Amino acid sequence: MPSTHSVRRQAGAALIVGLIMLLLITLAVTAGFTLSNTNLKSVGNMQNRNEAVAASNRAIEEVAASLLLPGVDGSPSLTAPQGTVSLVDINNDGTTDYRVQIAPPTCVRATKSTGTGGGGAVGPGGIGGGASTTGSGLNAVPDQYNSVWDISTSVTDAASGTVTSVRQGVRALLSKEQFLALCS
């Protein structure tokens, strides 16, 4: 038969071991909660960044399309693209989520397209095209220039104030008049 003194020691040891196990389980749960909370914040930040880049790409597409918009009379636009501001409501709730500041696009490089002539045939937007015109009685294809434009944006998140920068190169086919006016 065990003495009452050794039973008391065992009961005290069990209490201490139980408290240590409870402490370890508490620490494991706390660490798991902290880690999951950090991951949630990280995923949220990545989603906000992707939304900002999508808003920026939308604004860049609008600016790139404006490079080739014809003038009022149908002739190619000779007005240099300007910097603009675009307000984006990404979730369609009626409030602006992102403010996209677009710097004035710059023509980085322009080269004459090979196989173009110097005739007067002009298509929509001032850009001509077609196959060989030798002996057909048609005018030759007008001079065309492959241009590369640098478009830079700065996107501000309305909720947090964080800023994301996006820079993209855009290629556009220009008429000779556009080349002389915009990429000289």
Side-chain angles (χ1 to χ4, degrees):
M1 286 238 172
S3 71
T4 56
H5 183 64
S6 66
V7 172
R8 286 187 190 156
R9 279 190 190 166
Q10 291 175 359
L15 180 62
I16 292 174
V17 170
L19 287 175
I20 291 173
M21 292 301 287
L22 185 61
L23 179 65
L24 291 175
I25 291 171
T26 303
L27 289 175
V29 169
T30 304
F33 178 74
T34 304
L35 184 61
S36 67
N37 196 19
T38 302
N39 287 341
L40 184 63
K41 286 180 183 179
S42 177
V43 169
N45 288 341
M46 287 176 53
Q47 180 179 355
N48 287 345
R49 183 184 177 283
N50 289 342
E51 287 178 354
V53 170
S56 175
N57 286 338
R58 178 179 152 201
I60 287 171
E61 289 298 324
E62 290 172 2
V63 170
S66 73
L67 289 172
L68 298 177
L69 289 178
V72 177
D73 60 353
S75 64
S77 174
L78 302 178
T79 306
Q82 301 297 313
T84 58
V85 174
S86 178
L87 303 177
V88 179
D89 176 14
I90 204 88
N91 56 4
N92 295 323
D93 65 352
T95 60
T96 300
D97 296 313
Y98 296 97
R99 182 178 186 273
V100 183
Q101 178 75 35
I102 306 148
T106 56
C107 181
V108 177
R109 177 181 70 231
T111 57
K112 187 173 181 180
S113 297
T114 59
T116 61
V122 177
I127 304 298
S132 173
T133 58
T134 306
S136 66
L138 299 174
N139 290 334
V141 178
D143 288 338
Q144 298 174 350
Y145 293 83
N146 287 316
S147 62
V148 177
W149 293 78
D150 179 32
I151 303 176
S152 298
T153 64
S154 177
V155 185
T156 305
D157 184 352
S160 66
T162 57
V163 178
T164 303
S165 297
V166 177
R167 186 174 175 194
Q168 184 172 336
V170 176
R171 185 173 163 198
L173 188 63
L174 304 178
S175 68
K176 184 175 184 177
E177 294 80 18
Q178 288 174 310
F179 166 72
L180 293 173
L182 305 175
C183 290
S184 57

Short mmCIF file of all heavy atoms in Angstrom, two decimals, residues 40-65:
data_model
loop_
_atom_site.label_atom_id
_atom_site.label_comp_id
_atom_site.label_asym_id
_atom_site.label_seq_id
_atom_site.Cartn_x
_atom_site.Cartn_y
_atom_site.Cartn_z
N LEU A 40 -4.11 36.37 -43.96
CA LEU A 40 -5.31 37.06 -44.42
C LEU A 40 -4.97 38.48 -44.86
O LEU A 40 -5.44 38.95 -45.91
CB LEU A 40 -6.37 37.07 -43.32
CG LEU A 40 -7.71 37.68 -43.68
CD1 LEU A 40 -8.37 36.88 -44.79
CD2 LEU A 40 -8.60 37.72 -42.45
N LYS A 41 -4.16 39.17 -44.10
CA LYS A 41 -3.73 40.53 -44.47
C LYS A 41 -2.93 40.50 -45.76
O LYS A 41 -3.09 41.37 -46.62
CB LYS A 41 -2.91 41.16 -43.35
CG LYS A 41 -3.71 41.58 -42.16
CD LYS A 41 -2.83 42.19 -41.09
CE LYS A 41 -3.60 42.55 -39.85
NZ LYS A 41 -2.74 43.12 -38.80
N SER A 42 -2.05 39.52 -45.90
CA SER A 42 -1.22 39.40 -47.10
C SER A 42 -2.08 39.18 -48.34
O SER A 42 -1.88 39.81 -49.38
CB SER A 42 -0.23 38.26 -46.93
OG SER A 42 0.53 38.07 -48.10
N VAL A 43 -3.06 38.30 -48.24
CA VAL A 43 -3.95 38.03 -49.38
C VAL A 43 -4.78 39.28 -49.70
O VAL A 43 -4.98 39.62 -50.86
CB VAL A 43 -4.86 36.81 -49.08
CG1 VAL A 43 -5.96 36.68 -50.10
CG2 VAL A 43 -4.02 35.55 -49.04
N GLY A 44 -5.24 39.98 -48.68
CA GLY A 44 -5.99 41.23 -48.89
C GLY A 44 -5.16 42.28 -49.60
O GLY A 44 -5.63 42.97 -50.51
N ASN A 45 -3.89 42.41 -49.20
CA ASN A 45 -2.99 43.37 -49.86
C ASN A 45 -2.74 42.99 -51.31
O ASN A 45 -2.69 43.86 -52.19
CB ASN A 45 -1.67 43.46 -49.10
CG ASN A 45 -1.80 44.18 -47.79
OD1 ASN A 45 -2.75 44.92 -47.57
ND2 ASN A 45 -0.85 43.97 -46.90
N MET A 46 -2.59 41.69 -51.59
CA MET A 46 -2.39 41.26 -52.97
C MET A 46 -3.63 41.54 -53.81
O MET A 46 -3.53 41.94 -54.97
CB MET A 46 -2.04 39.77 -53.00
CG MET A 46 -0.63 39.47 -52.53
SD MET A 46 -0.23 37.71 -52.46
CE MET A 46 -0.64 37.16 -54.07
N GLN A 47 -4.81 41.34 -53.24
CA GLN A 47 -6.04 41.63 -53.96
C GLN A 47 -6.15 43.13 -54.26
O GLN A 47 -6.49 43.53 -55.38
CB GLN A 47 -7.26 41.17 -53.17
CG GLN A 47 -8.57 41.45 -53.89
CD GLN A 47 -9.78 40.97 -53.12
OE1 GLN A 47 -9.65 40.35 -52.08
NE2 GLN A 47 -10.95 41.27 -53.63
N ASN A 48 -5.83 43.97 -53.29
CA ASN A 48 -5.86 45.42 -53.51
C ASN A 48 -4.87 45.83 -54.59
O ASN A 48 -5.17 46.69 -55.43
CB ASN A 48 -5.57 46.17 -52.22
CG ASN A 48 -6.73 46.11 -51.25
OD1 ASN A 48 -7.84 45.76 -51.61
ND2 ASN A 48 -6.45 46.44 -50.00
N ARG A 49 -3.69 45.23 -54.58
CA ARG A 49 -2.68 45.56 -55.59
C ARG A 49 -3.16 45.13 -56.98
O ARG A 49 -3.02 45.86 -57.96
CB ARG A 49 -1.35 44.89 -55.28
CG ARG A 49 -0.28 45.26 -56.29
CD ARG A 49 1.03 44.50 -56.04
NE ARG A 49 2.02 44.82 -57.03
CZ ARG A 49 2.02 44.33 -58.26
NH1 ARG A 49 1.09 43.51 -58.66
NH2 ARG A 49 2.97 44.66 -59.12
N ASN A 50 -3.74 43.93 -57.08
CA ASN A 50 -4.25 43.46 -58.37
C ASN A 50 -5.38 44.34 -58.88
O ASN A 50 -5.48 44.61 -60.08
CB ASN A 50 -4.71 42.00 -58.27
CG ASN A 50 -3.55 41.04 -58.14
OD1 ASN A 50 -2.41 41.38 -58.45
ND2 ASN A 50 -3.83 39.85 -57.66
N GLU A 51 -6.25 44.81 -57.98
CA GLU A 51 -7.31 45.73 -58.39
C GLU A 51 -6.72 47.05 -58.88
O GLU A 51 -7.19 47.63 -59.86
CB GLU A 51 -8.27 45.98 -57.23
CG GLU A 51 -9.18 44.83 -56.92
CD GLU A 51 -10.09 45.09 -55.73
OE1 GLU A 51 -9.93 46.13 -55.06
OE2 GLU A 51 -10.96 44.24 -55.48
N ALA A 52 -5.67 47.54 -58.20
CA ALA A 52 -5.03 48.79 -58.61
C ALA A 52 -4.38 48.64 -59.99
O ALA A 52 -4.47 49.53 -60.83
CB ALA A 52 -3.99 49.22 -57.57
N VAL A 53 -3.73 47.51 -60.23
CA VAL A 53 -3.12 47.26 -61.54
C VAL A 53 -4.19 47.16 -62.62
O VAL A 53 -4.04 47.68 -63.73
CB VAL A 53 -2.23 46.00 -61.49
CG1 VAL A 53 -1.79 45.59 -62.88
CG2 VAL A 53 -1.01 46.26 -60.62
N ALA A 54 -5.32 46.52 -62.30
CA ALA A 54 -6.42 46.42 -63.27
C ALA A 54 -6.99 47.80 -63.59
O ALA A 54 -7.27 48.11 -64.75
CB ALA A 54 -7.51 45.51 -62.73
N ALA A 55 -7.13 48.65 -62.58
CA ALA A 55 -7.61 50.02 -62.80
C ALA A 55 -6.62 50.79 -63.67
O ALA A 55 -7.00 51.53 -64.57
CB ALA A 55 -7.82 50.72 -61.47
N SER A 56 -5.34 50.59 -63.40
CA SER A 56 -4.30 51.26 -64.19
C SER A 56 -4.32 50.78 -65.64
O SER A 56 -4.22 51.58 -66.57
CB SER A 56 -2.93 51.01 -63.57
OG SER A 56 -1.92 51.55 -64.38
N ASN A 57 -4.44 49.47 -65.84
CA ASN A 57 -4.47 48.93 -67.21
C ASN A 57 -5.67 49.45 -67.99
O ASN A 57 -5.57 49.71 -69.19
CB ASN A 57 -4.47 47.41 -67.18
CG ASN A 57 -3.12 46.85 -66.83
OD1 ASN A 57 -2.10 47.51 -66.99
ND2 ASN A 57 -3.09 45.63 -66.32
N ARG A 58 -6.79 49.61 -67.31
CA ARG A 58 -7.98 50.17 -67.97
C ARG A 58 -7.70 51.59 -68.45
O ARG A 58 -8.02 51.95 -69.57
CB ARG A 58 -9.15 50.14 -67.00
CG ARG A 58 -10.41 50.74 -67.56
CD ARG A 58 -11.53 50.65 -66.55
NE ARG A 58 -12.45 51.74 -66.81
CZ ARG A 58 -13.28 52.21 -65.94
NH1 ARG A 58 -13.35 51.69 -64.75
NH2 ARG A 58 -14.07 53.20 -66.24
N ALA A 59 -7.09 52.39 -67.60
CA ALA A 59 -6.76 53.77 -67.96
C ALA A 59 -5.72 53.81 -69.08
O ALA A 59 -5.81 54.63 -70.00
CB ALA A 59 -6.26 54.53 -66.74
N ILE A 60 -4.75 52.90 -69.04
CA ILE A 60 -3.73 52.85 -70.09
C ILE A 60 -4.36 52.49 -71.43
O ILE A 60 -4.02 53.06 -72.47
CB ILE A 60 -2.61 51.86 -69.72
CG1 ILE A 60 -1.74 52.45 -68.60
CG2 ILE A 60 -1.75 51.49 -70.92
CD1 ILE A 60 -0.74 51.49 -68.00
N GLU A 61 -5.31 51.57 -71.44
CA GLU A 61 -6.00 51.20 -72.68
C GLU A 61 -6.77 52.39 -73.25
O GLU A 61 -6.80 52.59 -74.47
CB GLU A 61 -6.95 50.02 -72.44
CG GLU A 61 -6.25 48.72 -72.20
CD GLU A 61 -5.41 48.26 -73.38
OE1 GLU A 61 -5.81 48.47 -74.54
OE2 GLU A 61 -4.32 47.70 -73.14
N GLU A 62 -7.39 53.20 -72.40
CA GLU A 62 -8.10 54.38 -72.86
C GLU A 62 -7.14 55.37 -73.51
O GLU A 62 -7.42 55.93 -74.56
CB GLU A 62 -8.85 55.05 -71.71
CG GLU A 62 -10.03 54.26 -71.19
CD GLU A 62 -10.63 54.85 -69.93
OE1 GLU A 62 -10.16 55.91 -69.46
OE2 GLU A 62 -11.57 54.24 -69.40
N VAL A 63 -5.99 55.57 -72.89
CA VAL A 63 -4.99 56.49 -73.44
C VAL A 63 -4.42 55.94 -74.74
O VAL A 63 -4.25 56.68 -75.72
CB VAL A 63 -3.87 56.78 -72.42
CG1 VAL A 63 -2.73 57.54 -73.05
CG2 VAL A 63 -4.43 57.54 -71.24
N ALA A 64 -4.14 54.64 -74.78
CA ALA A 64 -3.58 54.03 -75.99
C ALA A 64 -4.58 54.14 -77.15
O ALA A 64 -4.19 54.41 -78.29
CB ALA A 64 -3.22 52.57 -75.74
N ALA A 65 -5.86 53.96 -76.87
CA ALA A 65 -6.88 54.09 -77.92
C ALA A 65 -6.96 55.52 -78.42
O ALA A 65 -7.22 55.76 -79.60
CB ALA A 65 -8.23 53.62 -77.40
#
